[in-house]
Amino acid sequence: MKVLVLPGDGIGPEIVAQAKKVLNALQKDGLDIELSEAPLGGAAYDAYGAPYPEFTQKLAREADAILLGAVGGPQYDQLDRPLRPERGLLGIRKDLNLFANLRPAILYPELANASTLKPEVVSGLDILIVRELTGDIYFGQPRGIRVNEAGEREGFNTMLYSESEVRRIAHVAFRAAQKRGKKLCSVDKANVLETTEFWKEIMTDVAKEYPDVELSHMYVDNAAMQLVRAPKQFDVMVTGNIFGDILSDQASMLTGSIGMLPSASLDQNGKGLYEPSHGSAPDIAGKDIANPLATILSAAMMLRYSLNNEAAAVRVENAVKAVLAQGLRTADIYEAGTTKVSCSQMGDAVVAAL
Ligand SMILES: NC(=O)c1ccc[n+]([C@@H]2O[C@H](COP(=O)([O-])OP(=O)(O)OC[C@H]3O[C@@H](n4cnc5c(N)ncnc54)[C@H](O)[C@@H]3O)[C@@H](O)[C@H]2O)c1
Ligand SMILES: CC(C)[C@H](C(=O)O)[C@@H](O)C(=O)O
Ligand SMILES: [Mg+2]
């Protein structure tokens, strides 16, 4: 199996190095993977003048699975839009048709106090957010910044979903719900936006094929409120690209830190890109203090979904649970009575716990 590693920018290389340690340890125990590396985002712009250069594209297309750190940083904000790091990430998602983004928000019992919510509200939390990743206002045309007829500048984007796009993500979400608590909440803004009114109609239609799953609908503003009021009411949530982006960052705080939330972005055939849900955290880059657990847990998802190695995935997840049980914490999840460790120390501890 070929695994392409894309460290990216900011804390990307630091957190990916920890996930690589874990994969290297598994390799020594017989995991049959071949690792290669390429730049994406700002690092790719620096090396090749493009955020998703041909060099990276070729390796990405050949790989069975991809592990990404994060992209972006203020030093790239002044570039022309097509050259910005984030366009590299959107480019690889679109190029590889990685339409199904799974973002599990799980509260480990040891982090009950790290969550911003009261322990009784979050204890046992286990939500899966299924975010559509290659459509919506992120990709709809037309888009841009222009001068209108009145001579005033305006910015515009297009929220767009085709029926096939909604159907395929609906099936992913219903199948996920079937394997879990059999409850699916589709999040929309159907009271205002036609795109999501259409989304809701298709979700309702696909539900007929999954009579064992209870489908509900919720407006996104209410969903944001319910996520902090009573998050355990949710099992699987399915939503479009932009709402899923926002709700998954919000859900991450229920688990104690955005540094705990992994993600998998999958195509129809099990090929996937695995990355933490957070960004390149320029404010803490280069300090060896970032939390690498979301990236390590993303590597576990890669073992599960693309490398079909459930045993190795569980082994990594158990190692993460073990380091938390040992009281080891990076700064973002630190609390009195625990032991503060650096990013690299956390990586070493997970390897030791394997
Ligand atoms: N998937 C991605 O590559 C991705 C995702 C989100 C944002 N970004 C990009 O990252 C850059 C920074 O964006 P932002 O600041 O809005 O979001 P961010 O997620 O990078 O950071 C938000 C806050 O969370 C903290 N944080 C994030 N990850 C952490 C970790 N592992 N451990 C400890 N703390 C962590 C940061 O220090 C910061 O205070 C931007 O260029 C943005 O476009 C990339
Ligand atoms: C960096 C950005 C393009 C990306 C997104 O919006 O999808 C990020 O926020 C994410 O959640 O992966
Ligand atoms: Mg995001």
Side-chain angles (χ1 to χ4, degrees):
M1 292 283 207
K2 288 185 182 169
V3 174
L4 176 65
V5 178
L6 306 171
D9 311 318
I11 59 168
E14 300 167 43
I15 52 179
V16 156
Q18 310 317 314
K20 267 177 69 179
K21 283 181 192 168
V22 171
L23 291 175
N24 290 150
L26 293 173
Q27 275 178 314
K28 285 193 191 118
D29 283 352
L31 178 70
D32 186 17
I33 54 169
E34 196 186 306
L35 295 171
S36 58
E37 205 161 297
L40 184 79
Y45 173 78
D46 292 338
Y48 294 98
Y52 181 41
E54 268 176 43
F55 173 78
T56 304
Q57 186 180 51
K58 182 170 180 297
L59 289 173
R61 288 182 178 180
E62 286 167 6
D64 298 297
I66 300 165
L67 183 69
L68 167 68
V71 300
Q75 67 273 43
Y76 303 109
D77 285 351
Q78 302 312 317
L79 290 175
D80 284 347
R81 279 192 300 281
L83 297 176
R84 289 191 199 148
E86 292 78 2
R87 291 294 174 97
L89 180 57
L90 299 179
I92 192 171
R93 287 173 179 169
K94 193 72 169 175
D95 182 40
L96 302 180
N97 213 5
L98 305 170
F99 69 95
N101 186 213
L102 311 183
R103 297 192 160 182
I106 295 172
L107 176 71
Y108 291 96
E110 292 81 5
L111 297 185
N113 293 322
S115 172
T116 44
L117 297 190
K118 295 187 198 109
E120 64 267 26
V121 176
V122 281
S123 69
L125 181 86
D126 182 352
I127 304 177
L128 176 65
I129 297 181
V130 178
R131 169 189 178 198
E132 201 291 328
L133 202 59
T134 51
D136 204 350
I137 199 164
Y138 272 53
F139 292 94
Q141 294 289 347
R143 63 189 292 162
I145 299 170
R146 65 188 171 198
V147 177
N148 67 18
E149 282 171 9
E152 190 187 5
R153 269 165 32 97
E154 61 186 16
F156 58 104
N157 290 85
T158 304
M159 187 176 243
L160 190 83
Y161 266 123
S162 68
E163 183 166 345
S164 57
E165 284 175 321
V166 182
R167 279 191 187 278
R168 66 181 181 176
I169 195 69
H171 285 289
V172 169
F174 276 102
R175 285 198 296 266
Q178 272 183 327
K179 288 194 199 133
R180 294 173 42 108
K182 301 195 167 34
K183 266 170 49 180
L184 177 63
C185 179
S186 170
V187 177
D188 62 57
K189 188 73 186 175
N191 50 347
V192 178
L193 303 170
E194 285 81 354
T195 317
T196 76
E197 185 184 344
F198 175 69
W199 168 284
K200 183 174 180 178
E201 178 197 314
I202 305 297
M203 284 290 157
T204 307
D205 190 48
V206 175
K208 293 178 194 148
E209 296 175 48
Y210 300 88
D212 53 334
V213 176
E214 181 198 321
L215 173 69
S216 61
H217 304 275
M218 197 179 276
Y219 296 138
V220 64
D221 44 354
N222 185 24
M225 187 274 281
Q226 296 295 340
L227 260 181
V228 289
R229 188 188 75 85
K232 284 190 278 182
Q233 70 185 280
F234 298 111
D235 174 23
V236 181
M237 301 174 90
V238 62
T239 191
N241 207 342
I242 183 89
F243 297 160
D245 179 42
I246 298 164
L247 293 179
S248 58
D249 261 35
Q250 190 182 346
S252 73
M253 264 331 280
L254 309 177
T255 73
S257 167
I258 192 155
M260 293 302 299
L261 203 90
S263 88
S265 307
L266 306 173
D267 75 358
Q268 288 287 17
N269 309 311
K271 177 162 174 165
L273 181 149
Y274 300 83
E275 53 167 328
S277 298
H278 61 72
S280 58
D283 52 337
I284 57 167
K287 297 182 179 163
D288 194 26
I289 59 170
N291 186 344
L293 294 181
T295 315
I296 291 172
L297 291 167
S298 300
M301 291 184 89
M302 175 175 88
L303 290 161
R304 171 168 298 122
Y305 292 112
S306 287
L307 307 181
N308 297 317
N309 195 332
E310 177 68 20
V314 170
R315 205 174 148 200
V316 173
E317 287 162 354
N318 283 342
V320 168
K321 288 178 195 161
V323 298
L324 293 174
Q326 287 162 24
L328 304 183
R329 305 281 187 274
T330 42
D332 56 318
I333 49 175
Y334 174 77
E335 59 184 300
T338 61
T339 308
K340 197 184 275 185
V341 294
S342 66
C343 177
S344 50
Q345 286 169 332
M346 188 59 112
D348 292 339
V350 173
V351 170
L354 274 178

